[in-house]
PDB file of all heavy atoms in Angstrom:
ATOM      1  N   THR A1029      -0.152 -23.199  -5.949  1.00 59.00           N
ATOM      2  CA  THR A1029      -0.463 -23.974  -4.763  1.00 59.00           C
ATOM      3  C   THR A1029      -1.516 -25.008  -5.122  1.00 59.00           C
ATOM      4  O   THR A1029      -2.285 -24.825  -6.057  1.00 59.00           O
ATOM      5  CB  THR A1029      -1.018 -23.051  -3.683  1.00 59.00           C
ATOM      6  OG1 THR A1029      -2.153 -22.394  -4.199  1.00 59.00           O
ATOM      7  CG2 THR A1029       0.000 -22.016  -3.266  1.00 59.00           C
ATOM      8  N   ILE A1106      11.163 -15.239   2.615  1.00 98.00           N
ATOM      9  CA  ILE A1106      10.591 -14.441   1.504  1.00 98.00           C
ATOM     10  C   ILE A1106      11.164 -14.946   0.184  1.00 98.00           C
ATOM     11  O   ILE A1106      10.443 -15.182  -0.788  1.00 98.00           O
ATOM     12  CB  ILE A1106      10.916 -12.938   1.679  1.00 98.00           C
ATOM     13  CG1 ILE A1106      10.250 -12.370   2.943  1.00 98.00           C
ATOM     14  CG2 ILE A1106      10.479 -12.138   0.451  1.00 98.00           C
ATOM     15  CD1 ILE A1106      10.670 -10.933   3.276  1.00 98.00           C
ATOM     16  N   LYS A1112      12.314 -13.358  -4.621  1.00 95.00           N
ATOM     17  CA  LYS A1112      13.224 -12.204  -4.758  1.00 95.00           C
ATOM     18  C   LYS A1112      14.560 -12.506  -4.086  1.00 95.00           C
ATOM     19  O   LYS A1112      14.622 -13.333  -3.164  1.00 95.00           O
ATOM     20  CB  LYS A1112      12.594 -10.933  -4.190  1.00 95.00           C
ATOM     21  CG  LYS A1112      12.568 -10.809  -2.689  1.00 95.00           C
ATOM     22  CD  LYS A1112      12.037  -9.458  -2.239  1.00 95.00           C
ATOM     23  CE  LYS A1112      10.644  -9.179  -2.704  1.00 95.00           C
ATOM     24  NZ  LYS A1112      10.023  -7.999  -2.124  1.00 95.00           N
ATOM     25  N   LYS A1129       8.162   1.393  13.510  1.00 98.00           N
ATOM     26  CA  LYS A1129       8.669   2.294  14.558  1.00 98.00           C
ATOM     27  C   LYS A1129       7.888   3.612  14.557  1.00 98.00           C
ATOM     28  O   LYS A1129       7.466   4.107  15.605  1.00 98.00           O
ATOM     29  CB  LYS A1129      10.159   2.562  14.317  1.00 98.00           C
ATOM     30  CG  LYS A1129      10.774   3.492  15.338  1.00 98.00           C
ATOM     31  CD  LYS A1129      12.250   3.677  15.074  1.00 98.00           C
ATOM     32  CE  LYS A1129      12.841   4.675  16.062  1.00 98.00           C
ATOM     33  NZ  LYS A1129      14.251   4.935  15.799  1.00 98.00           N
ATOM     34  N   ASN A1152     -20.143  28.085  24.799  1.00 95.00           N
ATOM     35  CA  ASN A1152     -20.327  27.517  26.141  1.00 95.00           C
ATOM     36  C   ASN A1152     -19.966  26.030  26.203  1.00 95.00           C
ATOM     37  O   ASN A1152     -20.206  25.385  27.209  1.00 95.00           O
ATOM     38  CB  ASN A1152     -21.780  27.720  26.604  1.00 95.00           C
ATOM     39  CG  ASN A1152     -22.768  27.052  25.672  1.00 95.00           C
ATOM     40  OD1 ASN A1152     -22.573  27.078  24.456  1.00 95.00           O
ATOM     41  ND2 ASN A1152     -23.810  26.475  26.222  1.00 95.00           N
ATOM     42  N   PRO A1161     -10.099   2.975  18.089  1.00 98.00           N
ATOM     43  CA  PRO A1161      -9.915   1.791  17.226  1.00 98.00           C
ATOM     44  C   PRO A1161     -11.248   1.163  16.823  1.00 98.00           C
ATOM     45  O   PRO A1161     -12.244   1.301  17.527  1.00 98.00           O
ATOM     46  CB  PRO A1161      -9.120   0.835  18.124  1.00 98.00           C
ATOM     47  CG  PRO A1161      -9.373   1.296  19.523  1.00 98.00           C
ATOM     48  CD  PRO A1161      -9.608   2.773  19.450  1.00 98.00           C
ATOM     49  N   TYR A1199       0.514 -17.332  -1.875  1.00 97.00           N
ATOM     50  CA  TYR A1199       1.890 -17.586  -2.325  1.00 97.00           C
ATOM     51  C   TYR A1199       2.907 -17.351  -1.206  1.00 97.00           C
ATOM     52  O   TYR A1199       4.033 -17.827  -1.296  1.00 97.00           O
ATOM     53  CB  TYR A1199       2.234 -16.689  -3.529  1.00 97.00           C
ATOM     54  CG  TYR A1199       1.404 -17.031  -4.741  1.00 97.00           C
ATOM     55  CD1 TYR A1199       0.205 -16.374  -4.997  1.00 97.00           C
ATOM     56  CD2 TYR A1199       1.801 -18.052  -5.611  1.00 97.00           C
ATOM     57  CE1 TYR A1199      -0.577 -16.700  -6.084  1.00 97.00           C
ATOM     58  CE2 TYR A1199       1.022 -18.388  -6.701  1.00 97.00           C
ATOM     59  CZ  TYR A1199      -0.164 -17.718  -6.937  1.00 97.00           C
ATOM     60  OH  TYR A1199      -0.945 -18.060  -8.006  1.00 97.00           O
ATOM     61  N   SER A1227      -6.849 -19.511   0.269  1.00 96.00           N
ATOM     62  CA  SER A1227      -6.962 -18.849  -1.035  1.00 96.00           C
ATOM     63  C   SER A1227      -7.834 -17.600  -0.923  1.00 96.00           C
ATOM     64  O   SER A1227      -8.130 -17.116   0.171  1.00 96.00           O
ATOM     65  CB  SER A1227      -7.585 -19.831  -2.027  1.00 96.00           C
ATOM     66  OG  SER A1227      -8.906 -20.085  -1.608  1.00 96.00           O
ATOM     67  N   ALA A1274       4.369   5.928 -13.980  1.00 98.00           N
ATOM     68  CA  ALA A1274       5.202   6.491 -15.039  1.00 98.00           C
ATOM     69  C   ALA A1274       6.366   7.278 -14.464  1.00 98.00           C
ATOM     70  O   ALA A1274       6.311   7.768 -13.329  1.00 98.00           O
ATOM     71  CB  ALA A1274       4.348   7.404 -15.918  1.00 98.00           C
ATOM     72  N   ASN A1297      12.801  -6.573  -8.183  1.00 97.00           N
ATOM     73  CA  ASN A1297      11.700  -7.490  -7.842  1.00 97.00           C
ATOM     74  C   ASN A1297      11.053  -8.033  -9.127  1.00 97.00           C
ATOM     75  O   ASN A1297       9.863  -8.359  -9.138  1.00 97.00           O
ATOM     76  CB  ASN A1297      10.656  -6.796  -6.960  1.00 97.00           C
ATOM     77  CG  ASN A1297       9.897  -7.779  -6.081  1.00 97.00           C
ATOM     78  OD1 ASN A1297      10.398  -8.858  -5.767  1.00 97.00           O
ATOM     79  ND2 ASN A1297       8.688  -7.418  -5.692  1.00 97.00           N
ATOM     80  N   GLU A1306       6.672   1.565 -15.083  1.00 98.00           N
ATOM     81  CA  GLU A1306       6.320   0.725 -16.242  1.00 98.00           C
ATOM     82  C   GLU A1306       6.330   1.537 -17.535  1.00 98.00           C
ATOM     83  O   GLU A1306       6.501   0.987 -18.611  1.00 98.00           O
ATOM     84  CB  GLU A1306       4.946   0.071 -16.025  1.00 98.00           C
ATOM     85  CG  GLU A1306       4.939  -0.912 -14.840  1.00 98.00           C
ATOM     86  CD  GLU A1306       3.860  -1.986 -14.916  1.00 98.00           C
ATOM     87  OE1 GLU A1306       3.001  -1.906 -15.813  1.00 98.00           O
ATOM     88  OE2 GLU A1306       3.894  -2.907 -14.080  1.00 98.00           O
ATOM     89  N   VAL A1319      17.795   6.783 -23.793  1.00 98.00           N
ATOM     90  CA  VAL A1319      17.557   5.392 -24.193  1.00 98.00           C
ATOM     91  C   VAL A1319      18.880   4.628 -24.259  1.00 98.00           C
ATOM     92  O   VAL A1319      18.979   3.479 -23.799  1.00 98.00           O
ATOM     93  CB  VAL A1319      16.797   5.334 -25.542  1.00 98.00           C
ATOM     94  CG1 VAL A1319      16.805   3.923 -26.121  1.00 98.00           C
ATOM     95  CG2 VAL A1319      15.358   5.805 -25.354  1.00 98.00           C
ATOM     96  N   ARG A1327      21.284  -3.835 -19.530  1.00 97.00           N
ATOM     97  CA  ARG A1327      21.976  -5.036 -20.022  1.00 97.00           C
ATOM     98  C   ARG A1327      22.741  -5.746 -18.906  1.00 97.00           C
ATOM     99  O   ARG A1327      23.039  -6.935 -19.001  1.00 97.00           O
ATOM    100  CB  ARG A1327      22.965  -4.660 -21.130  1.00 97.00           C
ATOM    101  CG  ARG A1327      22.349  -4.575 -22.495  1.00 97.00           C
ATOM    102  CD  ARG A1327      23.436  -4.570 -23.565  1.00 97.00           C
ATOM    103  NE  ARG A1327      23.000  -3.903 -24.779  1.00 97.00           N
ATOM    104  CZ  ARG A1327      22.149  -4.416 -25.654  1.00 97.00           C
ATOM    105  NH1 ARG A1327      21.654  -5.617 -25.454  1.00 97.00           N
ATOM    106  NH2 ARG A1327      21.796  -3.742 -26.725  1.00 97.00           N
ATOM    107  N   PHE A1376      11.179 -17.406 -15.631  1.00 95.00           N
ATOM    108  CA  PHE A1376      12.135 -16.285 -15.675  1.00 95.00           C
ATOM    109  C   PHE A1376      11.897 -15.409 -16.901  1.00 95.00           C
ATOM    110  O   PHE A1376      11.732 -15.896 -18.015  1.00 95.00           O
ATOM    111  CB  PHE A1376      13.573 -16.810 -15.663  1.00 95.00           C
ATOM    112  CG  PHE A1376      13.941 -17.423 -14.344  1.00 95.00           C
ATOM    113  CD1 PHE A1376      13.866 -18.796 -14.147  1.00 95.00           C
ATOM    114  CD2 PHE A1376      14.313 -16.617 -13.275  1.00 95.00           C
ATOM    115  CE1 PHE A1376      14.178 -19.364 -12.918  1.00 95.00           C
ATOM    116  CE2 PHE A1376      14.630 -17.173 -12.035  1.00 95.00           C
ATOM    117  CZ  PHE A1376      14.554 -18.553 -11.862  1.00 95.00           C
ATOM    118  N   ASP A1387      -0.276   3.628 -28.043  1.00 96.00           N
ATOM    119  CA  ASP A1387      -0.882   4.150 -26.819  1.00 96.00           C
ATOM    120  C   ASP A1387      -1.971   3.257 -26.260  1.00 96.00           C
ATOM    121  O   ASP A1387      -2.222   3.256 -25.057  1.00 96.00           O
ATOM    122  CB  ASP A1387      -1.483   5.543 -27.074  1.00 96.00           C
ATOM    123  CG  ASP A1387      -0.465   6.628 -26.823  1.00 96.00           C
ATOM    124  OD1 ASP A1387       0.598   6.316 -26.232  1.00 96.00           O
ATOM    125  OD2 ASP A1387      -0.710   7.787 -27.215  1.00 96.00           O
ATOM    126  N   VAL A1413       2.878  15.135 -19.219  1.00 98.00           N
ATOM    127  CA  VAL A1413       1.868  15.130 -18.148  1.00 98.00           C
ATOM    128  C   VAL A1413       0.543  14.591 -18.671  1.00 98.00           C
ATOM    129  O   VAL A1413      -0.109  13.756 -18.035  1.00 98.00           O
ATOM    130  CB  VAL A1413       1.696  16.556 -17.559  1.00 98.00           C
ATOM    131  CG1 VAL A1413       0.475  16.628 -16.652  1.00 98.00           C
ATOM    132  CG2 VAL A1413       2.955  16.981 -16.812  1.00 98.00           C
ATOM    133  N   GLY A1422      -3.544   5.732 -10.702  1.00 98.00           N
ATOM    134  CA  GLY A1422      -2.905   6.948 -10.181  1.00 98.00           C
ATOM    135  C   GLY A1422      -2.238   6.662  -8.849  1.00 98.00           C
ATOM    136  O   GLY A1422      -2.622   7.190  -7.819  1.00 98.00           O
ATOM    137  N   LEU A1435       7.168  21.629 -10.340  1.00 98.00           N
ATOM    138  CA  LEU A1435       6.096  22.096 -11.231  1.00 98.00           C
ATOM    139  C   LEU A1435       5.416  20.914 -11.928  1.00 98.00           C
ATOM    140  O   LEU A1435       4.185  20.815 -11.969  1.00 98.00           O
ATOM    141  CB  LEU A1435       6.703  23.041 -12.266  1.00 98.00           C
ATOM    142  CG  LEU A1435       5.751  23.958 -13.004  1.00 98.00           C
ATOM    143  CD1 LEU A1435       5.202  25.002 -12.053  1.00 98.00           C
ATOM    144  CD2 LEU A1435       6.483  24.630 -14.177  1.00 98.00           C
ATOM    145  N   ARG A1441      -1.694  13.507 -11.698  1.00 98.00           N
ATOM    146  CA  ARG A1441      -2.791  12.930 -10.919  1.00 98.00           C
ATOM    147  C   ARG A1441      -2.320  11.583 -10.373  1.00 98.00           C
ATOM    148  O   ARG A1441      -2.399  10.554 -11.032  1.00 98.00           O
ATOM    149  CB  ARG A1441      -4.005  12.747 -11.845  1.00 98.00           C
ATOM    150  CG  ARG A1441      -5.195  12.073 -11.226  1.00 98.00           C
ATOM    151  CD  ARG A1441      -6.271  11.895 -12.295  1.00 98.00           C
ATOM    152  NE  ARG A1441      -7.223  10.867 -11.959  1.00 98.00           N
ATOM    153  CZ  ARG A1441      -7.041   9.563 -12.179  1.00 98.00           C
ATOM    154  NH1 ARG A1441      -5.933   9.148 -12.741  1.00 98.00           N
ATOM    155  NH2 ARG A1441      -7.977   8.703 -11.847  1.00 98.00           N
ATOM    156  N   VAL A1451      10.673   6.236  -5.925  1.00 96.00           N
ATOM    157  CA  VAL A1451       9.886   5.695  -4.796  1.00 96.00           C
ATOM    158  C   VAL A1451      10.296   6.223  -3.412  1.00 96.00           C
ATOM    159  O   VAL A1451       9.892   5.667  -2.394  1.00 96.00           O
ATOM    160  CB  VAL A1451       9.917   4.134  -4.857  1.00 96.00           C
ATOM    161  CG1 VAL A1451      10.947   3.478  -3.974  1.00 96.00           C
ATOM    162  CG2 VAL A1451       8.543   3.564  -4.535  1.00 96.00           C
ATOM    163  N   ALA A1458       6.660   9.478   7.566  1.00 97.00           N
ATOM    164  CA  ALA A1458       5.618  10.450   7.882  1.00 97.00           C
ATOM    165  C   ALA A1458       4.725  10.771   6.681  1.00 97.00           C
ATOM    166  O   ALA A1458       3.745  11.503   6.828  1.00 97.00           O
ATOM    167  CB  ALA A1458       6.252  11.737   8.413  1.00 97.00           C
ATOM    168  N   PHE A1481      -7.153   3.647  10.426  1.00 98.00           N
ATOM    169  CA  PHE A1481      -7.569   2.489  11.236  1.00 98.00           C
ATOM    170  C   PHE A1481      -8.219   2.916  12.546  1.00 98.00           C
ATOM    171  O   PHE A1481      -8.114   2.232  13.558  1.00 98.00           O
ATOM    172  CB  PHE A1481      -6.370   1.567  11.457  1.00 98.00           C
ATOM    173  CG  PHE A1481      -5.908   0.951  10.173  1.00 98.00           C
ATOM    174  CD1 PHE A1481      -4.741   1.387   9.546  1.00 98.00           C
ATOM    175  CD2 PHE A1481      -6.667  -0.035   9.549  1.00 98.00           C
ATOM    176  CE1 PHE A1481      -4.345   0.842   8.339  1.00 98.00           C
ATOM    177  CE2 PHE A1481      -6.281  -0.581   8.348  1.00 98.00           C
ATOM    178  CZ  PHE A1481      -5.118  -0.141   7.726  1.00 98.00           C
ATOM    179  N   ASP A1512     -30.771  35.801  14.577  1.00 95.00           N
ATOM    180  CA  ASP A1512     -30.860  36.188  13.166  1.00 95.00           C
ATOM    181  C   ASP A1512     -29.897  37.321  12.856  1.00 95.00           C
ATOM    182  O   ASP A1512     -29.203  37.323  11.834  1.00 95.00           O
ATOM    183  CB  ASP A1512     -32.302  36.596  12.867  1.00 95.00           C
ATOM    184  CG  ASP A1512     -32.535  36.664  11.377  1.00 95.00           C
ATOM    185  OD1 ASP A1512     -32.234  35.647  10.703  1.00 95.00           O
ATOM    186  OD2 ASP A1512     -32.969  37.729  10.891  1.00 95.00           O
ATOM    187  N   LEU A1514     -27.177  37.998  14.536  1.00 93.00           N
ATOM    188  CA  LEU A1514     -25.819  37.441  14.633  1.00 93.00           C
ATOM    189  C   LEU A1514     -25.425  36.722  13.338  1.00 93.00           C
ATOM    190  O   LEU A1514     -24.306  36.884  12.847  1.00 93.00           O
ATOM    191  CB  LEU A1514     -25.767  36.428  15.778  1.00 93.00           C
ATOM    192  CG  LEU A1514     -25.046  36.851  17.053  1.00 93.00           C
ATOM    193  CD1 LEU A1514     -25.147  35.741  18.087  1.00 93.00           C
ATOM    194  CD2 LEU A1514     -23.580  37.173  16.770  1.00 93.00           C
ATOM    195  N   ALA A1516     -26.482  37.292  10.391  1.00 94.00           N
ATOM    196  CA  ALA A1516     -26.218  38.285   9.345  1.00 94.00           C
ATOM    197  C   ALA A1516     -24.824  38.878   9.510  1.00 94.00           C
ATOM    198  O   ALA A1516     -24.083  39.049   8.527  1.00 94.00           O
ATOM    199  CB  ALA A1516     -27.280  39.386   9.413  1.00 94.00           C
TER     200      ALA A1516
END
Side-chain angles (χ1 to χ4, degrees):
T1029 58
I1106 296 173
K1112 76 175 60 171
K1129 179 178 177 183
N1152 60 321
Y1199 294 92
S1227 66
N1297 207 25
E1306 295 204 352
V1319 168
R1327 275 195 206 286
F1376 291 97
D1387 270 347
V1413 169
L1435 198 69
R1441 176 183 159 276
V1451 97
F1481 294 106
D1512 194 53
L1514 254 178

